[in-house]
C-alpha cells in the first residue's frame, strides 16, 4: 500500500493548477475539485483493489473503493503505481485527530500500516504517531489533552534533494516561500510554501 494521489478542493481550480505547476513536478497525482479550499482526500494504491476492498469491509470500515471513511476523512483505493522520479517527492501527509487510539485502530489495525513511532511532545502540547505507508508517512497529530470530533487533514510535506535550489527557483518564479530553517526532526531543513493558491498547507523538506 502506498499513497498515489491527493485530492484538493479549491475555489479557483485554474489558479490552483497554476500554483502547483509553479511548485514543480511532484511524484503523486494531484486531483483538483471546486469547493472550499483544503486537502479533501487521499488515494491509496494497492495491488488488488477488489481484494483490499473486501478486506477493509471485513475489518469494519464504512464505504467502498471510491471513499472509505477513516476517522471522518475520505481515503480511496486505486491500482498501485510505482511512481516516477520528480523534484518533489511526498514525504508525509498530516492528519489531525482528537482520538489517537482510534487512529491506531484505523491506520495500523484496519489499513495495516506500520506504526513506526509514537512520541509525546508535552512541551508543545501534542502527541505524534507516525505510520509508514509505502515510501511516505502518515503523521497523525493529537493534542495531549484530548479533543472531540472527526479527523481533519493538516497538510503535505515534500522532500527535495537541494532545498536551496528549489527555494531559489520558487522565489524567482514569484512563489512566496518562508526562509529556510531547521526542521523539528534532527538533520532536516524546511521551508513553508505561503502561496494561498496551493490551497493546502505545504512544506518543503531536505534531509541531510
Amino acid at each position: 500500500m502506498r499513497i498515489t494521489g491527493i485530492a484538493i478542493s479549491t475555489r479557483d481550480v485554474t489558479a490552483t493548477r497554476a500554483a502547483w505547476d509553479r511548485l514543480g513536478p511532484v511524484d503523486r497525482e494531484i486531483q483538483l475539485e471546486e469547493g472550499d479550499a483544503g486537502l479533501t482526500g487521499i488515494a491509496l494504491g494497492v495491488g488488488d483493489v477488489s481484494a483490499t476492498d473486501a478486506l477493509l469491509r471485513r475489518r469494519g470500515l464504512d464505504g467502498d473503493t471510491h471513499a472509505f471513511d477513516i476517522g471522518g476523512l475520505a481515503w480511496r483505493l486505486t491500482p498501485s503505481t510505482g511512481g516516477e522520479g520528480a523534484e518533489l517527492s511526498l514525504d508525509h501527509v498530516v492528519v489531525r485527530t482528537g482520538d489517537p487510539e482510534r487512529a491506531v485502530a484505523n491506520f495500523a489495525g484496519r489499513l495495516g500500516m506500520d506504526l513506526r513511532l509514537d512520541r509525546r511532545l508535552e512541551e508543545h502540547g501534542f502527541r505524534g504517531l507516525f505510520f509508514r505507508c509505502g515510501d511516505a508517512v502518515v503523521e497523525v497529530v493529537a493534542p495531549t489533552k484530548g479533543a472531540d470530533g472527526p479527523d481533519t487533514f493538516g497538510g503535505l510535506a515534500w522532500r527535495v534533494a537541494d532545498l536551496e535550489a528549489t527555494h531559489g527557483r520558487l522565489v524567482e518564479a514569484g512563489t512566496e516561500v518562508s526562509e529556510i530553517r531547521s526542521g523539528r526532526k534532527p538533520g532536516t531543513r524546511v521551508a513553508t510554501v505561503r502561496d494561498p493558491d496551493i490551497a493546502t498547507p505545504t512544506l518543503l523538506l531536505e534531509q541531510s
Side-chain angles (χ1 to χ4, degrees), residues 26-85:
V26 299
D27 66 348
R28 301 302 195 271
E29 179 186 359
I30 304 295
Q31 178 183 348
L32 302 179
E33 54 193 26
E34 287 192 11
D36 293 335
L39 182 58
T40 58
I42 298 293
L44 295 173
V46 296
D48 188 325
V49 172
S50 296
T52 304
D53 172 65
L55 175 63
L56 297 186
R57 288 170 185 270
R58 288 200 303 273
R59 290 176 175 175
L61 288 178
D62 293 328
D64 54 29
T65 58
H66 299 291
F68 274 100
D69 183 332
I70 310 291
L73 297 176
W75 298 70
R76 65 186 178 91
L77 300 180
T78 64
S80 184
T81 57
E84 298 179 357

Side-chain angles (χ1 to χ4, degrees), residues 130-175:
F130 300 82
F131 299 87
R132 171 62 64 180
C133 183
D135 55 352
V137 168
V138 177
E139 178 182 344
V140 177
V141 179
T144 53
K145 294 185 178 180
D148 295 326
D151 295 352
T152 58
F153 285 119
L156 304 167
W158 301 89
R159 289 189 304 271
V160 298
D162 187 336
L163 185 55
E164 296 279 359
T166 301
H167 186 279
R169 177 181 62 75
L170 292 174
V171 170
E172 185 175 348
T175 298

Side-chain angles (χ1 to χ4, degrees), residues 4-34 37 76 156 158 169-170 175 195-200:
T4 55
I6 295 156
I8 296 172
S9 178
T10 174
R11 296 182 182 89
D12 189 334
V13 170
T14 300
T16 298
R17 174 57 65 192
W20 279 95
D21 287 344
R22 288 193 300 272
L23 188 64
V26 299
D27 66 348
R28 301 302 195 271
E29 179 186 359
I30 304 295
Q31 178 183 348
L32 302 179
E33 54 193 26
E34 287 192 11
R76 65 186 178 91
L156 304 167
W158 301 89
R169 177 181 62 75
L170 292 174
T175 298
D195 184 346
D197 287 330
I198 288 289
T200 191

